[in-house]
Amino acid sequence: MKILVISDTHGQIMNAVNLIKKGTYDYCIHLGDVVRDCEDLESIFPRQKFIFVKGNNDFWTRDASFPDERTFTLGGKKFFICHGHKFNVKSSLALLKSTAIKKECDVVLFGHTHKSYLEDGSLTVMNPGCVKSYGEIIIDDEGNMKSELKKVNDDE
């Protein structure tokens, strides 16, 4: 299973469009700011599976029912995703990590800071950054997981 992780696109979706066109992703996870971007991507790629949460700049979204956070399982790994602003991620990751651990998650994904971050261990913590960077997670059939941060155009 191959997962694309993006965040903080803020109306600039062309890099995401190009990544989805080039990649063969089973899922695309968008971590907020701006949910409308994910809706636009869904209309461009109706067969692509998307999972998303809203961020601090999504107060005006057409559907107030979009969640601030989600917990789900993919490839045998339990994920906790959020934008991060409600967990004060610009100051510390302690609250975010402890919440994910309490939820018995293997992976926590967040955005908000616009800075790429990856920590692998018993809990994988990833922030894909914004517009010009993204994350990839690959989970093989045995449940082994590889997480990587990439810059847009690195592979061209």
Side-chain angles (χ1 to χ4, degrees), residues 6-10 29-39 50-72 80-87 89 96 109-112:
I6 58 176
S7 187
D8 296 277
T9 48
H10 294 278
I29 298 174
H30 191 294
L31 303 168
D33 282 359
V34 173
V35 167
R36 185 186 71 234
D37 296 345
C38 199
E39 293 169 335
F50 289 90
I51 302 171
F52 51 95
V53 291
K54 63 184 176 183
N56 60 301
N57 287 306
D58 287 317
F59 48 86
W60 44 265
T61 186
R62 71 175 180 181
D63 186 347
S65 69
F66 287 135
D68 291 321
E69 58 187 61
R70 287 185 170 175
T71 305
F72 53 88
F80 173 59
I81 69 170
C82 64
H83 184 61
H85 62 294
K86 293 188 175 186
F87 292 89
V89 296
L96 179 69
L109 306 175
F110 71 102
H112 189 54

Side-chain angles (χ1 to χ4, degrees), residues 66-131:
F66 287 135
D68 291 321
E69 58 187 61
R70 287 185 170 175
T71 305
F72 53 88
T73 302
L74 292 176
K77 302 294 182 184
K78 190 171 180 183
F79 285 72
F80 173 59
I81 69 170
C82 64
H83 184 61
H85 62 294
K86 293 188 175 186
F87 292 89
N88 302 313
V89 296
K90 286 186 176 180
S91 300
S92 167
L93 298 181
L95 179 58
L96 179 69
K97 289 179 181 181
S98 67
T99 301
I101 290 166
K102 285 178 190 168
K103 292 177 177 284
E104 300 179 336
C105 292
D106 302 296
V107 181
V108 60
L109 306 175
F110 71 102
H112 189 54
T113 66
H114 295 200
K115 295 178 183 172
S116 299
Y117 178 85
L118 179 59
E119 178 182 330
D120 278 321
S122 58
L123 176 68
T124 296
V125 182
M126 178 190 279
N127 180 335
C130 63
V131 184

